[in-house]
Amino acid sequence: MSLAVLYSRALSGIQAPLVTVETHIANGLPSFTIVGLPDTEVKESKDRVRSALQNAQFKIPPQRITVNLAPADLPKESGRFDLPIALGILAATGQIPSDKLDQYEWAGELALTGELRPIHGALAMTYNASQSGRSFVLPQQNAAEAALVKNATIYAAQSLLQICAHLSGQKPLPVYQNTAGDNTSLHGTCYPDLDEVKGQAHAKRALEIAAAGGHSLLMIGPPGTGKSMLATRFPGILPPMTEAEALESAAIQSLAFGSFDISNWKNRPFRAPHHTASGVALVGGGSHPRPGEISLAMHGILFLDELAEFDRKVLEVLREPLESGKITISRAARQAEFPARFQLITAMNPCPCGYLGHPSGKCHCTPDQIARYRGRISGPLLDRIDMQIEVPAVPQQELMKQQAASEKSSTVRQRVENAHQLQLDRQGKTNSRLSVKEIDRFCALDNASENLLKQAISRLNLSARAYHRILKVARTIADLAGIEKINNQHIAEAIQYRKLDRK
């Protein structure tokens, strides 16, 4: 046989499109050509493959070798195509059987010794391979991560020789089994407890509502009032991740970091970039587009501390993904789309010195200075943040007295889970993701509630977006109380969480 066809996967955002690796051996002067829009790493495969085959005691035919990576218009990068290229040469020259090659998909970088080295994006490729009905063969180091895809058939190998022995029937590889992903009891264990925060009952209540409905939150207060403490304890009160959410989150982290830490399975990510971060760091980018912080926070939390210290242009990149839940990165040569369904938690000082409204009276900022400071955050972005609350300084006597019994994160999380499940049963999504038509359906008001909201719109000059966000928050408050109909108490509380609208 002078032609062999194998299957592998490329990476385009979080997707892993199928790549057909066609290897043809023809008469002519000895040469080794790879076509199909390969980048430098793929072009260098021929040198790695040649050395790996020689060191594994296989023969390199002194003929014209042509490898085509189809489709030709899809960019190919990284060394993951080394393994299918090497197997294609062996199959085309009859050194290994070729009758079962189409049952598998292959990915792995070859060392010059023929050993297999780990690859990036194994989780995304395994998921797509399982959808095609083919088994996936990959390096041993990637196997535990790939096994998180429940319906996938995975074979893990350490070298090219092991794979050749498997294909020839001499020593078949066992199907890889891994139960690390079955442990779902890890939820919340790595987060500090909410009962460690003294006082701040209003802020804790806001966190509970935000967790139950998936709402974004802005905390405004002087330094040392517990804003960061509250934010770091927020993941511990969120409902557990579903299998699909955990898989999507893990796939993005695998793309960004090269692999996924199994110990983090079903733990919601918590990303807290520094305020010097650039727009590309937040949304992602590069010549080969990589996910940014908003995608790494997928199904988790993006915490922006010192919000007003971020560059205004950087913050503006959040506006679209907050609404759409995805981000599209366009470059001259290619385009990639990454999911960005994150929960935004932010914190900022009330003024440049930070002590506006503090009992110490330290603040001497002028109204113009305060206005300029708050003006660093645009109105359209503030409008997209569902809840805006004040986190005042804790009174000295409350701070110094012995910690009284306070609700633990586990207690709050139970109420959050109940409300979250109520939303899923009713509408199949969290309240924060309701469309305008769904708001009209699930957030209907009685006359008293409607009149109260009309007065708030008139007095506070609320935008249409703020109006819809108040209704969503009120719906979540009613769900936490286990009440089917929104009443004026729920509307009144929801309005209280729009501090910057109330001035």
Side-chain angles (χ1 to χ4, degrees):
M1 179 180 183
S2 60
L3 177 67
V5 178
L6 292 90
Y7 300 105
S8 187
R9 296 275 167 180
L11 289 174
S12 178
I14 198 174
Q15 302 300 318
L18 182 68
V19 173
T20 303
V21 182
E22 302 169 332
T23 305
H24 182 240
I25 311 295
N27 294 326
L29 293 175
S31 65
F32 195 156
T33 306
I34 300 177
V35 297
L37 209 58
D39 73 353
T40 303
E41 290 173 308
V42 181
K43 289 178 181 177
E44 292 172 347
S45 290
K46 55 188 176 184
D47 297 314
R48 292 191 296 271
V49 167
R50 188 186 299 275
S51 296
L53 291 176
Q54 289 175 343
N55 288 321
Q57 306 303 312
F58 289 108
K59 296 179 181 179
I60 305 291
Q63 295 172 286
R64 182 179 179 85
I65 303 173
T66 304
V67 176
N68 179 41
L69 305 177
D73 60 346
L74 178 69
K76 320 295 189 309
E77 45 87 20
S78 96
R80 72 176 66 90
F81 299 107
D82 290 3
L83 178 59
I85 289 173
L87 292 175
I89 293 174
L90 295 177
T93 56
Q95 297 180 70
I96 61 172
S98 59
D99 55 329
K100 297 181 181 179
L101 291 178
D102 59 352
Q103 299 175 13
Y104 304 91
E105 293 186 13
W106 316 84
E109 180 180 330
L110 286 174
L112 300 187
T113 60
E115 300 294 312
L116 286 176
R117 289 179 172 154
I119 56 174
H120 284 215
L123 202 56
M125 288 188 285
T126 305
Y127 176 77
N128 283 269
S130 68
Q131 299 299 303
S132 70
R134 285 185 283 265
S135 303
F136 195 55
V137 183
L138 75 173
Q140 182 75 42
Q141 296 96 318
N142 295 116
E145 170 190 344
L148 295 174
V149 183
K150 296 298 183 183
N151 58 341
T153 304
I154 298 164
Y155 294 93
Q158 294 180 335
S159 68
L160 178 64
L161 284 174
Q162 278 189 345
I163 294 175
C164 293
H166 170 77
L167 291 172
S168 63
Q170 297 175 3
K171 190 176 181 181
L173 290 169
V175 176
Y176 185 86
Q177 299 291 338
N178 178 30
T179 58
D182 293 338
N183 184 9
T184 58
S185 63
L186 297 172
H187 176 75
T189 57
C190 59
Y191 301 114
D193 205 282
L194 198 62
D195 69 347
E196 297 173 357
V197 181
K198 292 187 177 181
Q200 304 298 5
H202 179 65
K204 290 179 181 178
R205 168 67 172 169
L207 284 180
E208 181 178 341
I209 295 168
H215 304 290
S216 51
L217 174 67
L218 168 62
M219 295 180 284
I220 307 168
T225 57
K227 302 187 296 295
S228 297
M229 282 187 71
L230 289 164
T232 54
R233 284 150 179 79
F234 183 70
I237 66 173
L238 289 172
M241 299 178 82
T242 65
E243 195 79 22
E245 289 175 342
L247 192 59
E248 195 169 21
S249 176
I252 294 174
Q253 293 179 57
S254 173
L255 285 175
F257 306 127
S259 63
F260 174 71
D261 186 353
I262 305 299
S263 65
N264 290 328
W265 177 246
K266 289 196 174 180
N267 278 343
R268 293 190 183 271
F270 182 87
R271 306 294 301 180
H274 192 261
H275 61 257
T276 56
S278 66
V280 171
L282 281 185
V283 303
S287 55
H288 299 296
R290 302 287 291 275
E293 292 290 344
I294 63 173
S295 295
L296 292 173
M298 182 69 180
H299 299 305
I301 300 94
L302 178 67
F303 176 49
L304 302 183
D305 200 5
E306 305 295 345
L307 185 66
E309 300 301 329
F310 281 80
D311 185 275
R312 179 169 174 147
K313 291 182 180 178
V314 171
L315 292 179
E316 292 306 294
V317 303
L318 296 173
R319 285 162 58 175
E320 180 185 347
L322 274 174
E323 294 285 341
S324 64
K326 61 183 179 181
I327 184 71
T328 302
I329 301 170
S330 298
R331 296 292 180 263
R334 61 189 302 185
Q335 179 175 298
E337 183 177 286
F338 295 102
R341 186 70 64 185
F342 60 93
Q343 193 160 353
L344 180 65
I345 305 295
T346 63
M348 64 177 286
N349 294 327
C351 66
C353 77
Y355 290 96
L356 179 66
H358 195 276
S360 65
K362 292 181 181 179
C363 180
H364 298 288
C365 299
T366 66
D368 285 345
Q369 289 174 325
I370 295 171
R372 282 196 298 271
Y373 178 77
R374 296 190 178 184
R376 296 178 186 176
I377 307 167
S378 71
L381 177 60
L382 283 175
D383 220 22
R384 286 171 166 82
I385 298 178
D386 299 339
M387 304 170 68
Q388 307 151 8
I389 65 167
E390 185 176 3
V391 185
V394 180
Q396 184 178 4
Q397 61 273 21
E398 186 173 351
L399 187 64
M400 297 185 69
K401 72 180 182 182
Q402 190 168 356
Q403 178 78 343
S406 178
E407 280 193 321
K408 292 185 173 294
S409 292
S410 56
T411 304
V412 178
R413 184 169 67 243
Q414 187 58 57
R415 293 198 298 268
V416 167
E417 289 180 10
N418 293 339
H420 180 75
Q421 189 59 50
L422 186 64
Q423 295 164 44
L424 296 182
D425 293 340
R426 181 180 59 231
Q427 67 228 11
K429 62 179 74 172
T430 57
N431 290 331
S432 63
R433 296 174 57 189
L434 291 175
S435 66
V436 175
K437 287 186 177 180
E438 290 170 332
I439 291 174
D440 293 337
R441 179 181 176 186
F442 299 115
C443 303
L445 303 178
D446 56 28
N447 290 335
S449 303
E450 190 173 337
N451 290 334
L452 177 60
L453 188 52
K454 284 180 180 177
Q455 292 177 27
I457 294 172
S458 177
R459 291 182 182 180
L460 304 179
N461 197 24
L462 297 176
S463 68
R465 183 178 283 114
Y467 161 74
H468 287 136
R469 273 161 166 69
I470 288 174
L471 285 174
K472 292 177 187 179
V473 172
R475 177 67 271 172
T476 301
I477 295 170
D479 290 339
L480 281 167
I483 298 175
E484 183 178 353
K485 291 286 187 179
I486 299 174
N487 61 40
N488 55 357
Q489 291 181 345
H490 306 141
I491 292 293
E493 184 177 358
I495 293 171
Q496 292 301 308
Y497 298 124
R498 300 291 301 185
K499 173 174 171 56
L500 296 183
D501 289 330
R502 294 185 287 113
K503 307 297 181 187

